Amino acid sequence: MWILLSPLLALLCLGMLWKWLPSALNKAHWGMAATCIAPCVYLMMQLPSVRAGQGWQFNETWLPSLNIQIAFRLDGLAWVFSFLVLAMGALIVMYARYYLHHLMPRI
């Protein structure tokens, strides 16, 4: 479950860092890219089990009173698309930092 919440927590921390320490703005893009790179590394660690056909599964009771569960599954196709989206997200964040450098405040 922590892997699902880690990007949100990282973005929250980066938002606070941006507000309280404006000089860190020029380096904040590394942290935002890390929110995409860390799950990519986790996906790479899951690749042997996905290739073996075992995949990955997470089931949790979400609303016990209504008997509703939340489930996440990772098979080969889900792995490919997850990795593609996360890797492209990291590249976009890194590209945007240098593309929009003229809009960054000079500190």
Side-chain angles (χ1 to χ4, degrees):
M1 186 67 169
W2 65 270
I3 196 73
L4 300 173
L5 296 177
S6 63
L8 298 174
L9 294 175
L11 288 175
L12 179 66
C13 293
L14 286 170
M16 286 189 249
L17 180 69
W18 183 331
K19 182 176 173 89
W20 291 331
L21 188 59
S23 63
L25 186 60
N26 289 327
K27 294 185 175 70
H29 68 281
W30 290 107
M32 293 187 325
T35 62
C36 293
I37 294 171
C40 277
V41 171
Y42 180 76
L43 283 173
M44 290 302 292
M45 292 187 320
Q46 297 299 321
L47 183 59
S49 66
V50 170
R51 288 189 68 190
Q54 297 169 347
W56 176 85
Q57 185 171 338
F58 173 79
N59 293 321
E60 185 68 35
T61 303
W62 189 25
L63 298 171
S65 61
L66 299 175
N67 197 21
I68 296 177
Q69 294 185 351
I70 188 166
F72 296 99
R73 292 177 181 87
L74 184 70
D75 60 355
L77 185 62
W79 187 93
V80 168
F81 280 105
S82 298
F83 189 81
L84 182 68
V85 167
L86 290 167
M88 290 301 291
L91 291 174
I92 288 169
V93 167
M94 296 306 295
Y95 175 77
R97 192 271 180 246
Y98 295 104
Y99 182 74
L100 300 172
H101 71 280
H102 62 281
L103 297 176
M104 302 290 278
R106 303 288 183 229
I107 296 175

